[in-house]
Amino acid sequence: ARAVLESPDGLRLGGRKREITVLMSDLRGYTRFAEQGDPTTVMAVLNDYLRRMADIVIAHGGTINEFIGDAIFAVFGAPVEHPDHAERAAATALAMQRAMDGLSADLAARGQPRFEMGIGLHTGEAVVGNIGSEQRTKYAVVGAAVNLAARVEGCTVGGQILMTAATAAEPCAAR
């Protein structure tokens, strides 16, 4: 947010193409819990999950583009450019899965159901920038890279991270 606001064109509507890595995650079993659970408990569990995962994304230099219910759409490499965006996204996915172990243990200790998370990663070119109107503006990431990351995530089972060959082919600082 700081980078966007400090930029002279930060709030101007429009976009540009940028290579980024998209991370999509989704909880398995949460929808049924939300439909059948007490609203206060449902929202408390969701907010705890989102807080923990948001902290991890932000710590790795990612930007949360949206929370879509219990799904998270995060981007690495925009608005702040990072040459190691794919590596950051992969490290984030691993940290998120480790954090799910702790969250599941906490939920079980409170008598709540355990959840698992699937994560999909894809690296590619996307259009990034501000969309909307004078009344409401939003930083957005659009294009095939976003759609492919969502499809990859949809193929995961709980506890799994899948990445495309494009993400795996990105240079890694540890190599």
Side-chain angles (χ1 to χ4, degrees), residues 12-89:
R12 192 187 82 219
L13 295 179
R16 62 189 178 109
K17 288 186 177 183
R18 171 108 45 103
E19 180 164 303
I20 48 101
T21 299
V22 176
L23 179 151
M24 293 280 194
S25 72
D26 193 40
L27 288 181
R28 303 299 185 260
Y30 186 81
T31 301
R32 182 179 170 116
F33 170 73
E35 290 170 349
Q36 297 176 350
D38 167 67
T40 302
T41 303
V42 166
M43 294 307 280
V45 168
L46 180 61
N47 287 329
D48 185 30
Y49 160 74
L50 293 174
R51 178 190 53 78
R52 291 180 194 214
M53 298 305 144
D55 287 348
I56 293 167
V57 170
I58 292 164
H60 287 85
T63 300
I64 297 171
N65 191 261
E66 276 191 71
F67 294 130
I68 309 161
D70 60 290
I72 299 172
F73 166 16
V75 62
F76 295 79
V80 178
E81 292 188 52
H82 295 288
D84 60 345
H85 53 85
E87 185 175 359
R88 288 171 180 261

